[in-house]
Every structure is written in C-alpha cells, then in structure tokens.
Amino acid sequence: MTAKDAALDENATRIRDLTKLINEPQAMSLNLEHLRAAGGVSALLEVLGTDPDGGVADASVEKRRELFGSNTLPSTPRKSFWQLFVDTFDDATLQILIVAAIVSLVIGIYDAPATGYVEGMAILAACLIVSVVTALNDYQKESQFRELSAANDAVDVVVVRSGKFHSIPVDDLVVGDLVCVEAGDNIPCDGVVVTYDGLEVDESALTGEPEDIDKDAETDPFLLSGCTAIAGSGRFVAIAVGKYSQWGMIKSKLEKEQEETPLQEKLDDMAAMIGYVGMGAAAATFIAMMAIKIFINPEYLQHISVFHHALDAFIIGVTIVVVAVPEGLPLAVTISLAFSTKKMLADQNLIRHLAACETMGNATNICSDKTGTLTENRMTVVRGIFANKRDEKCTEPINISEEALETILEGIACCSTARVVYPAPPKETAVDDELAVYDGRPQLIGNKTEAALIILAQSDWGSNDVTDMRREEARFGKEDGSRLFPFSSSRKRMTVLVTKKKHPWTLYHKGAAEIVLESCTTYMDVDGSEKKMTKEKREYFQEVIQEFASDALRCVALAHRSRIDKVAKNLATIHLAECEKKLEKELCLDALVGIADPLREDVIEAVATCQHAGIFVRMVTGDNLETARAIAKQAGILTEDGISMTGEEFRKLTPAQLDEILPKLQVLARSSPEDKHMLVQRLNGGLMPETKEAWEEAHPGRDFETEKDLLLPGYKEEWDVSRGGVGEVVGVTGDGTNDGPALKAADVGLSMGLSGTDVAKKASDIIIMDDNFSSIVKAVLWGRSVFDNIRKFLQFQLTVNVVALTITFLSALVGYNPPLNAVMMLWVNLIMDTMGALALGTEPPTLDLLDRRPYKRDSSLISRPMWRNIFIQATYQLSLLVFLLDKGPQMYNCEDGSSHHFTILFNAFVFCQVFNEFNAREIGDIFDPFNNLSKSPMFLLVIAFTVLAQWAIVEYGGDFTQTTPLSFSEWRSTVGYGAISIPFGFIMRLIPVSEDPHSFAGLSRKEIAKKDNYWLSALILALLPFLAAIVYQLAYEVEELKH
C-alpha cells in the first residue's frame, strides 16, 4: 500500500461524514452552512486529497473506488427467458389448471388408455401457450428498454488527474475527481464547484424547479447528478458517486417491486372461488353416488363392484372440477392485454408492463407533475407592451415603426445566450422500432426565458428575424467586439454592450420587470422616439407588471441606452461593477413581456374528462405555491374548496392529519421527491413499511415506539386499519428523475416519451410517447375496455361452465352418463374458451366507458347484472337440454341415448353459446348485441370459425367425436334453439338489477338513485323451481329407462 493509499484509509471516515453532511437532498442552505463550517471549498479539497489544478493522483483511483464506490447506478440483474417463463406459473389460475390437468391425465389414461389422455393434455397445452406468450412479451419489452438504457448511459466525461486531462467512461468516476463540465453536459455525479465561468444548471429533472440555477462558491456551489449544465463552464470536485449520489439514492428506491395489480388480485380470488365450488360439487357428487350404491343399490348398479363404482364417481368428480375451472381465463387476459397494448401504441401509449393496461382503467387518483406534463416546459411570450403598444396575443406582426421594432429585435437577439435549433426531418426507422420518437419542436439550448424571446423574434410577430446573424455581427468574445454580462439570479438581469460597424455603442438590458423599471427614465413610443417616464406612466407600467404576475406570467422588461461611449470610454475592458454604476441607469424602457409556461392545449379537457370518469387529479410540483395554484386553476384541478400546500407543510403532518385532508388536497407545491413518494404510499399503501425494522430503515435515528404515528408515510398495520386494507389505485405522471420513486410506488407510472429522463421511463409502466396529457385519457379508456372485456368473457364462460357443470352433476346423480362425451366437452370447454377469449378479449373501447366511476380494489369481478345474465341464460340452456333429453327422440325420430340423439343436443348447446356470445358483448342493461360489429373483425372471424368448425365436427367427426351427420331440418331447428338466446338477452335486461354502489371508488357524481329492491335475490328464488323441475325430469327419465 502506498503512502497516499494509507492516508486515504485513515481519512475515509472523515471524508464519508463530510460529504454526507454537505449533500442532503433538497437542503441547499443547510449544506452550504455545513460546507462553510468545514472551511469552504479549499478545505474540502484538502480533505479529499484533490489538487485544485491537478485533480487526484492516477495511482489513487482504484483505492478511491474501493473505499467510496464506483459511479455505476444500481440495476436489477436481467431475468432470463426461462426465469420469466417459470414466473408465469405463479398465477393461481394456472396452478389450479395444472393440478386438475395432471389428475385428469392420470385417471383418464387409467380409465381409457386409448383416448383418456386427451382432456388432460389439452389443458396442459393451453397452460403452456399462455406461459410462453406471456414470457415472450415480457422478454421483448425488457430487451427494448435495456437497449435504450445502454445507449443513453454510454457517455464519456472529462476529468483532470495528475495534472492531465482525460476523457473517461462515466462509470470510472471516483470521489475526489476534478470533473470538467460545459453547457449541454449532464452532471455525472454529485459535486462542489471549484472554478466556474457563468455556469448555470437546469435542476428541474431532480428538484422540479423550472429556473436555471447560477453556480458559484458563495451562494450555491453544489452540482447534482442527473441535472444538465445550461450555460457557461466550470470544474467541480466529485463528493458522491453511483448509488451514493442523489440520483443514485432515488434510483435505488426503484428496485423494489410493487404488489399485484387489482385485476390480478381479483382473478386469483376468482380462481380460488371457482376451485372451491368445483371441489365442493365434486365432493357432493362423489358422496351422493356412493350413498346411492351403498344404501340403495338400485338394479342398474348391482352388477358393479363398490371399488369400480367409487372409481367412476371419482372420475366424474374430477371431470366436474375440470369443467368448473375456466381454462380460457388466463388466455383471455393475455390476449386482451396483448391486443390492447398494440392498439394503445397507436394512441401514443407504449406499455412497458402488460398489467398496467387494465390497472389504469380503475385508477382513482392521478398525481401529476406540472412542468412538462400539464405544461409544455417551454416558455412562451403570451402578452406584452412593445414600444408603448399593447399586444394581447403576440402571434401576428406588431404594428409599430420599423425603428422601434429594430431596437426591440436587436435587444432580444444580442441580450441573450440562448439558442433555438430546429430539428432536421426524421430519418427512416424500422417499422417495429417502438422507441423511435420524432420531436418536431425546436430545441431550446440555454435559458428558457431567453429562448422564448428568441422564438418570438423569429416568428411572424418579428417578421421572422434572423437573430443568429445579429449576434454574429456583434462579435461577442472577440477582440474589439461586444461585451456580455450574463444574467445572474442575484442581480435578476443581464446587460450587453453592443458595437457594430458604423454603429455606436449601445447598451441592451433585460431582467425582472420591477427592477429594470426602476432604472428607466424614459420609454420608447410606437414611432421609436423616447418619451419621458412620468409618474403616471410609471404607475401604469407597475400595474401591468402586477397584472401579469397575478396571471402566473413571468414579467420581463427590455430596455436600452444609446451612445454609452459618451458616458464611459473604456467599454472594451469595463467591469460589471462599473457597468452597473455608470451605465445601467437612465435607461429607455422598450418592452414589458409576460412569459408563460403554457398548459398543453388539451389539458383542461383531459383533466375534466378524468374527473367526469371519477378520477381525482392532483398536482405535485417543485414550483412555488402561487404559480402552482394559478396553473392548477387554469387546468381545472384546483377548485374553490380545494386544499393547496407546500412540501414543508406536508412533511409536518401526521398520517392521521394527512388522511383528513387527502379528499381535498389538490396541489402540493415546493415538494421534494420524497414528498411525492410518501403521498403515493399513503394513497395506495404500496411499499409501506411493514415491520419495525423497515420503519427504522426509512426513518434512521427515530424511535419507532414513540414516533410511529407521527411521521409520514406511516406503517402498514396503521394504514390497514385506517383504510380497511383497501387503498386507492394511483397513477403518477412525470418526466423528471425526481419523479422516479413515485412512478415506481404507484399502481401505474406514466412517463413522458419526449421530455422524460431515462430514470423516469424505466420507473414507469406506460410511456406517453407524445408527452400529451390527453393520452392518459386514452390509457384510462383502454384500461377500462380491457377490464370490461375480461368481464364479458367471464359472463360468457361462466354461463357455459354453469350449464356444463350442472348437467354433469345432475346426470351423475340420477344415473345418466353425461350427455356430452369427452371430445364434445373438449370442444365446448377448450376451443370455445379460446374462441371466446379471442372474440370478447379484442372488443374495441367505447367512450361511454368514461361515464362511470372506477371500481374499488376489492369490488367483485362479477357484478349483480352479470349474475342476472348468467343465471337466466344458464336456466334457459339447462331447460333446453332437459327438454331435448326427454322429447328429442320423439321429435327427431331417433333412438333415446343414441349418438344421433346426443348430436342434436350437442349442436343445440353449441349454438346457444354462439348466440350468447353476442349477448355477452354487453355486461349491463344495454341490449344491442350487433352494435359496432364492423369495428370488431376478430369477433366476426371467431363466430365464422366456430360455426364452420362445429359443422365439420358434426358432419365429419364420426367415431372420434361420436357424432352423426344431421339433416337440414335438424340443423335449422337446433340453430333456432340457440338463436332464442338473443330474445332472452333482451328479456333478462328488463329485470331491474343495478350494480352495487359500494363497488365504485373515485370521485362521486350526483346521480339518480336506483332502487335495487333485491331483485337479484328474488331472481334466484324464482329460478329455483325451474332447477327443481329439471332434477325431477331427469329422475323421471331414469325411471323410464329402468322400466
């Protein structure tokens, strides 16, 4: 070990303590105080062992990396396709299916070695298909985003080591490195500035602040990873790298996985419920059949041994379990989500996680960032007074003299360091490159306020002025050229001294309107002449400034002073202090402009649509409270009785106090990333500390026993009690690095595709490709469509299963063999499942889906109207089957129990499902089974395929399917029996059964109360006699057979 390495070892604890002390998140003043107490930047460099000119020694780099970590950010190891495939079997429905399939396979082979394997193998094949499709989709999406991440992360940085400049990969940075940055560079780690020359940094990605921050040793020397240098240049010493930097600490929170989505939870419950029902029916069947054999032992069972009968009873019981479980359910979910994912991409929603599709449909809260999400993050001049002429739009050419316009345009072009670059047309990209996004908007380099003025000058308003040429003619930074004193946040203004060929020296001045106005003694009139600034005129301009401010506009003043060479002779070498004292006075006011970060055009309508759909929209931003309130009011987020507060006030609340104001908390301003994260945790309970140890890890140095009920976000047990264990379904929008943890903690994270940072995109579930808030409405619409499509399939499938289960159970109970043999059941139970999933899982959304509130997390997946529809259709189909069992042989002149008899019954049953599939397209009270069929080509294709396949099975199945070809009249009558399902669909919707109002969440609306009158219970009671009649009829048939 070298002497320098030994010194580093000895100093390591001191370095860690000091760098942590001066690098607390969102605490610049406190960090600065600690830095000063430690002796300032020079003392920090001494502790770190960094030479202010030569940087660290090359030989110490590896030791520094060993002691303080490397500049690599945490990431989750990639799962292989095999791991993703195995993970798919965590689904409870698949698990039940696999167990049932294995039991069916074993018993089927034992009972009928030639054909007994068919049912079990078919179910296992369905499970395999679902798992492979899901794993492939997950693997493909992960590959795309890892490629995007790798491309974004592969950058080099310039450092000084051992007195020499080196360009090194960003991952090789170490604590103590002297890092060089220029305008446009990303800050690769946390640091403190050592030298600086007009260095300005955009910290909005990390702190949410839209203002560019001046960096200097006295007021703000701290540079934060994940931010961008906007202007100037400088060197800084690295104090935290990788996971210890502020960006790294945020990203580390993104590695925790969220819980299951609401639909997954409901499907697991549904699978368990169906499994219990199936096992209960199977057990009851087995007990009943054994009781008949042991206690009654009728004549038709006397020649069968108890063991063989027990085996038969067990096989029938397993058959009931297999029939009960809807194996098409996971397939329907996968198909619906995959279909919607492709369609949503056309609506500018790139789905990173399939489950986010359906979850978004039942979102009850959206916590939205302001800058870049609700607003365009592009400053725009929207109002102004130019040469004493008011302009309320700033879009058309302004009607002032050429001389006045020339002065204003010269001031805009020269008194600026910003650049506006218009992008080249996009190159052709691969059709399947989902991440290739073209941003046709001009790129703003430098101060956004200055860029807003540049864009104004280059527009029709300024006769498409060539601002870059004006700046080149001024020859800034060249010998005998113009001088520039850049904008300073302390001065709130900037000044340029412009000299051009054949033109005298002119001062152009720009800054905060109220400060510039104080220095003006004249103002420019429309003809370009200078008029004296009277008391009345000054008061008028002050009123304009106040008006702009009250409308949340940033007010900037432009001024000039001619022939300054007569005031000071040393203009080529004059310093800022002398310029302030001698030149920045007796100015002529040229213009007052109101600059806004405007709302996106469709935000107001999109917010209103979300609220109409029962979604609570909140704004969470790092901007100041007044601006946030003004923007929130414009967007329709902040109402008269709404609550707005700052992050500082928010952090002082206890969990109970926050719960009290949450229903009205609409704006959270000056918030830190932790505030947004805690708000989401409190709303949905996601990632909430569950143990004392987890709470203490989140609150280091605090006492759990005395403070657990005082500090946000609370803890799991307390949250469960306050919410009954059921939280909100939260969507979070954002584009900055600071939004990452909240995006991950949310049920659905939505990041911006154009302006979003890499961290935000990786943390999100959905990427809004066009940065358009209205695309969130489309995400909600598609999400609700997915949710309803799954419910449509359930309504259809459960009807099939109720009939098949009941007829199998009752037939076995009274001694019949099941009227539908194994191959028929395979067609009905598997092929119809798959076809139903394709047909109903790909139905397009309709706008009326946004007319209802979202469902609660714990609301039933099957609503009361759905149960009504299932029971009535099942009762009709059961009645039809019993009728055909009884009267079929007489009506069709066939032998009772023959293959001809059962083929007629089978055909009628299948066409009942075909026509009931039209009924299943609506799960409520609307009867319009043929509505928008032209927009559902997959549905029509499935119906056509099902009909053709049924015809082929009946006509050509022969011994394999045990079917007999039917005559035309038999086809006509059996299809007709199925078609009766359609008028039954109309009749059943006349029975007034409404949804449970307690199943809805989100914002309530004034609605006409509907009387339920317990119609569902009455309906079930009314159907009991029909079921009793069916049992009686089957018993009667058995007696007839016995005689």
Side-chain angles (χ1 to χ4, degrees):
M1 180 184 293
T2 65
K4 289 185 177 180
D5 285 350
L8 272 175
D9 267 333
E10 292 176 6
N11 242 4
T13 302
R14 185 183 175 194
I15 290 173
R16 290 192 191 98
D17 291 343
L18 178 58
T19 53
K20 183 177 181 180
L21 199 62
I22 63 174
N23 197 33
E24 290 292 331
Q26 293 287 77
M28 194 278 294
S29 299
L30 186 62
N31 292 338
L32 185 58
E33 184 180 326
H34 289 154
L35 179 61
R36 287 171 178 167
V41 176
S42 59
L44 173 65
L45 291 171
E46 185 178 346
V47 172
L48 292 171
T50 303
D51 185 277
D53 297 317
V56 300
D58 282 324
S60 71
V61 170
E62 287 304 320
K63 190 63 179 178
R64 290 173 183 274
R65 186 173 291 117
E66 177 188 332
L67 290 172
F68 311 115
S70 64
N71 196 39
T72 54
L73 295 174
S75 62
T76 306
R78 172 160 191 167
K79 288 187 176 182
S80 66
F81 174 79
W82 174 250
Q83 288 174 308
L84 292 172
F85 175 74
V86 171
D87 287 347
T88 61
F89 291 98
D90 289 338
D91 182 79
T93 309
L94 279 177
Q95 292 171 355
I96 293 174
L97 277 173
I98 291 170
V99 171
I102 292 173
V103 174
S104 176
L105 185 64
V106 171
I107 296 176
I109 293 175
Y110 176 83
D111 187 57
T115 59
Y117 66 90
V118 174
E119 181 81 10
M121 289 300 296
I123 298 173
L124 287 175
C127 294
L128 181 64
I129 292 171
V130 170
S131 297
V132 169
V133 169
T134 303
L136 278 174
N137 199 301
D138 290 344
Y139 191 84
Q140 178 188 15
K141 294 296 179 185
E142 183 67 19
S143 296
Q144 291 174 338
F145 280 89
R146 289 204 175 241
E147 289 171 9
L148 176 65
S149 174
N152 288 341
D153 291 344
V155 296
D156 291 338
V157 295
V158 177
V159 298
V160 181
R161 288 178 178 172
S162 298
K164 296 181 180 180
F165 288 89
H166 299 273
S167 179
I168 64 172
V170 68
D171 292 352
D172 290 348
L173 281 175
V174 294
V175 169
D177 258 329
L178 200 59
V179 186
C180 304
V181 291
E182 296 179 350
D185 289 344
N186 287 325
I187 309 299
C189 60
D190 296 346
V192 175
V193 294
V194 177
T195 62
Y196 48 92
D197 183 8
L199 183 61
E200 298 178 20
V201 176
D202 177 5
E203 296 184 346
S204 61
L206 192 65
T207 67
E209 290 283 357
E211 298 285 344
D212 298 332
I213 310 298
D214 290 332
K215 296 296 177 178
D216 59 60
E218 299 301 322
T219 57
D220 186 356
F222 302 105
L223 298 179
L224 305 176
S225 54
C227 301
T228 306
I230 296 299
S233 61
R235 297 181 189 178
F236 70 90
V237 61
I239 62 172
V241 297
K243 63 182 180 180
Y244 304 106
S245 67
Q246 291 201 24
W247 187 356
M249 286 187 288
I250 286 175
K251 196 172 181 185
S252 67
K253 296 178 182 177
L254 311 185
E255 301 309 314
K256 297 181 180 179
E257 292 300 325
Q258 181 56 286
E259 299 171 358
E260 285 190 317
T261 66
L263 182 60
Q264 287 172 326
E265 294 171 1
K266 289 185 172 70
L267 290 178
D268 286 346
D269 293 341
M270 175 66 65
M273 182 192 76
I274 293 174
Y276 294 146
V277 170
M279 286 186 287
T285 301
F286 181 83
I287 292 171
M289 291 182 67
M290 292 307 299
I292 291 173
K293 172 62 179 174
I294 294 172
F295 298 109
I296 301 176
N297 196 22
E299 184 178 343
Y300 68 91
L301 290 179
Q302 290 178 359
H303 65 285
I304 300 175
S305 67
V306 174
F307 173 77
H308 194 274
H309 186 70
L311 184 60
D312 288 342
F314 184 72
I315 291 172
I316 291 174
V318 172
T319 304
I320 288 175
V321 173
V322 173
V323 169
V325 178
E327 54 263 42
L329 181 56
L331 186 62
V333 173
T334 302
I335 288 173
S336 187
L337 291 176
F339 170 77
S340 299
T341 296
K342 297 295 183 184
K343 292 294 184 180
M344 288 176 76
L345 186 59
D347 281 342
Q348 303 301 315
N349 286 268
L350 175 59
I351 307 300
R352 289 202 64 209
H353 302 119
L354 278 179
C357 229
E358 51 83 13
T359 309
M360 196 62 211
N362 285 324
T364 59
N365 276 249
I366 292 178
C367 299
S368 174
D369 188 30
K370 178 184 75 68
T371 306
T373 307
L374 296 170
T375 65
E376 296 180 358
N377 197 20
R378 290 178 178 261
M379 301 298 177
T380 305
V381 178
V382 295
R383 207 182 305 170
I385 294 180
F386 305 92
N388 201 29
K389 183 176 180 63
R390 184 155 182 142
D391 190 340
E392 295 291 346
K393 294 183 178 180
C394 299
T395 55
E396 303 294 332
I398 188 166
N399 187 22
I400 58 177
S401 68
E402 289 186 12
E403 181 182 350
L405 182 60
E406 178 69 16
T407 300
I408 293 172
L409 292 176
E410 188 75 7
I412 290 174
C414 296
C415 197
S416 174
T417 58
R419 293 286 189 276
V420 178
V421 178
Y422 293 89
K427 297 180 181 179
E428 292 186 5
T429 57
V431 175
D432 60 347
D433 187 1
E434 298 176 342
L435 300 179
V437 181
Y438 171 64
D439 186 358
R441 302 174 299 180
Q443 181 183 359
L444 310 183
I445 301 175
N447 185 281
K448 295 180 179 65
T449 303
E450 294 177 3
L453 291 167
I454 295 291
I455 290 176
L456 178 71
Q458 294 178 353
S459 69
D460 292 342
W461 180 92
S463 302
N464 307 111
D465 191 60
V466 186
T467 55
D468 289 344
M469 185 178 294
R470 291 181 184 272
R471 199 174 298 170
E472 289 174 11
E473 292 173 352
R475 300 170 62 245
F476 287 105
K478 297 181 180 179
E479 188 177 356
D480 298 327
S482 302
R483 299 292 308 283
L484 184 147
F485 301 101
F487 179 85
S488 164
S489 58
S490 58
R491 288 188 354 116
K492 302 293 184 185
R493 51 200 164 135
M494 72 175 293
T495 296
V496 291
L497 312 179
V498 178
T499 179
K500 296 184 178 181
K501 293 180 180 180
K502 300 180 181 180
H503 287 278
W505 284 87
T506 303
L507 177 147
Y508 293 98
H509 194 63
K510 179 183 81 224
E514 64 276 10
I515 297 176
V516 174
L517 182 60
E518 290 177 3
S519 303
C520 294
T521 56
T522 60
Y523 65 91
M524 186 167 63
D525 209 353
V526 289
D527 59 0
S529 62
E530 296 186 15
K531 299 289 182 68
K532 183 179 178 181
M533 182 75 71
T534 63
K535 180 183 177 181
E536 292 76 16
K537 200 66 179 176
R538 188 179 299 276
E539 289 176 351
Y540 167 70
F541 287 133
Q542 288 172 342
E543 290 175 0
V544 171
I545 294 171
Q546 184 60 39
E547 174 198 331
F548 288 178
S550 64
D551 290 339
L553 300 180
R554 177 173 300 164
C555 195
V556 176
L558 305 177
H560 80 281
R561 185 176 182 182
S562 302
R563 299 306 304 266
I564 55 173
D565 51 315
K566 293 183 179 182
V567 181
K569 300 300 182 183
N570 57 337
L571 296 178
T573 58
I574 194 171
H575 295 293
L576 177 59
E578 188 178 359
C579 177
E580 274 190 89
K581 183 178 180 180
K582 293 183 177 180
L583 303 179
E584 291 181 1
K585 59 183 182 179
E586 299 179 10
L587 303 179
C588 175
L589 181 66
D590 300 330
L592 290 174
V593 294
I595 301 178
D597 183 8
L599 283 177
R600 295 182 180 276
E601 291 183 359
D602 47 8
V603 159
I604 296 175
E605 181 182 356
V607 168
T609 302
C610 286
Q611 291 169 340
H612 178 72
I615 302 170
F616 195 124
V617 183
R618 308 174 195 265
M619 178 195 289
V620 185
T621 177
D623 211 339
N624 70 70
L625 183 60
E626 289 305 316
T627 302
R629 284 176 55 85
I631 294 293
K633 285 181 179 178
Q634 292 176 26
I637 294 173
L638 183 60
T639 58
E640 290 185 5
D641 61 343
I643 295 175
S644 57
M645 64 169 51
T646 64
E648 185 178 358
E649 296 169 324
F650 174 83
R651 288 188 287 273
K652 293 177 182 177
L653 297 173
T654 66
Q657 289 171 335
L658 177 56
D659 287 347
E660 189 176 339
I661 67 168
L662 270 180
K664 291 188 177 181
L665 180 60
Q666 295 168 341
V667 176
L668 183 60
R670 289 295 187 206
S671 62
S672 68
E674 287 76 17
D675 295 335
K676 196 171 189 177
H677 191 237
M678 285 191 294
L679 175 62
V680 174
Q681 285 179 296
R682 197 67 203 167
L683 286 168
N684 70 356
L687 310 181
M688 188 75 74
E690 296 189 14
T691 63
K692 177 181 177 181
E693 291 73 20
W695 188 94
E696 289 175 343
E697 182 182 349
H699 305 283
R702 309 305 289 263
D703 181 61
F704 176 75
E705 298 301 332
T706 59
E707 297 182 285
K708 62 182 180 181
D709 294 320
L710 301 179
L711 299 180
L712 291 174
Y715 58 99
K716 187 67 173 176
E717 182 182 353
E718 168 269 331
W719 184 88
D720 284 340
V721 172
S722 68
R723 298 293 197 289
V726 181
E728 305 285 347
V729 179
V730 183
V732 170
T733 72
D735 61 347
T737 302
N738 63 314
D739 296 316
L743 288 169
K744 196 67 175 180
D747 296 282
V748 181
L750 303 110
S751 64
M752 301 293 115
L754 297 177
S755 59
T757 63
D758 186 47
V759 169
K761 290 178 183 177
K762 289 178 181 176
S764 65
D765 302 294
I766 299 176
I767 296 179
I768 309 299
M769 303 293 282
D770 58 357
D771 284 17
N772 216 328
F773 188 85
S774 66
S775 295
I776 295 172
V777 177
K778 296 176 182 175
V780 172
L781 184 63
W782 274 104
R784 294 192 176 186
S785 177
V786 168
F787 189 75
D788 274 18
N789 285 350
I790 301 302
R791 299 171 84 206
K792 290 174 185 177
F793 172 77
L794 271 174
Q795 177 175 278
F796 168 71
Q797 181 57 47
L798 288 180
T799 303
V800 180
N801 287 351
V802 164
V803 175
L805 186 150
T806 305
I807 200 68
T808 303
F809 170 72
L810 294 179
S811 298
L813 195 62
V814 297
Y816 254 136
N817 287 323
L820 304 179
N821 61 48
V823 179
M824 291 178 181
M825 288 298 292
L826 175 66
W827 166 244
V828 172
N829 208 38
L830 180 64
I831 305 301
M832 291 291 283
D833 276 6
T834 306
M835 294 298 102
L838 280 170
L840 298 171
T842 56
E843 286 274 276
T846 56
L847 290 177
D848 58 5
L849 290 173
L850 297 175
D851 289 336
R852 72 159 190 246
R853 290 156 56 196
Y855 289 102
K856 291 180 180 177
R857 281 182 182 270
D858 59 345
S859 63
S860 174
L861 197 59
I862 304 178
S863 65
R864 292 174 179 176
M866 290 173 65
W867 280 122
R868 173 198 63 191
N869 300 344
I870 290 168
F871 281 137
I872 291 180
Q873 286 291 339
T875 300
Y876 164 67
Q877 292 179 22
L878 280 170
S879 302
L880 176 64
L881 290 179
V882 171
F883 173 78
L884 290 176
L885 274 173
D886 179 23
K887 304 299 182 183
Q890 301 174 20
M891 293 174 60
Y892 297 100
N893 195 25
C894 60
E895 184 181 346
D896 192 5
S898 65
S899 62
H900 187 190
H901 180 197
F902 283 167
T903 300
I904 291 172
L905 186 144
F906 168 59
N907 206 45
F909 179 57
V910 167
F911 276 96
C912 280
Q913 313 319 317
V914 170
F915 286 100
N916 192 38
E917 208 156 355
F918 287 90
N919 281 324
R921 295 182 72 220
E922 288 290 347
I923 54 179
D925 291 332
I926 298 174
F927 177 76
D928 196 356
F930 307 108
N931 182 42
N932 287 330
L933 278 176
S934 60
K935 296 181 180 179
S936 302
M938 182 59 71
F939 183 91
L940 295 175
L941 186 64
V942 165
I943 294 297
F945 176 82
T946 304
V947 170
L948 288 174
Q950 175 66 13
W951 174 77
I953 288 172
V954 169
E955 295 297 316
Y956 302 105
D959 292 337
F960 179 73
T961 58
Q962 297 179 24
T963 55
T964 301
L966 301 180
S967 66
F968 176 76
S969 61
E970 290 169 340
W971 272 100
R972 182 178 57 193
S973 61
T974 51
V975 170
Y977 293 144
I980 296 176
S981 296
I982 296 293
F984 262 95
F986 171 74
I987 295 170
M988 71 187 183
R989 287 179 168 87
L990 297 179
I991 301 174
V993 177
S994 62
E995 292 215 47
D996 182 1
H998 298 294
S999 64
F1000 293 104
L1003 294 176
S1004 60
R1005 300 195 302 270
K1006 292 182 179 179
E1007 298 172 343
I1008 299 173
K1010 296 180 180 179
K1011 293 184 178 180
D1012 196 295
N1013 293 330
Y1014 302 100
W1015 276 100
L1016 185 60
S1017 302
L1019 174 64
I1020 295 173
L1021 291 174
L1023 293 178
L1024 286 178
F1026 288 95
L1027 296 176
I1030 292 170
V1031 175
Y1032 174 80
Q1033 183 63 44
L1034 284 169
Y1036 175 78
E1037 287 293 313
V1038 171
E1039 290 299 321
E1040 287 293 312
L1041 288 173
K1042 289 162 68 174
H1043 295 294

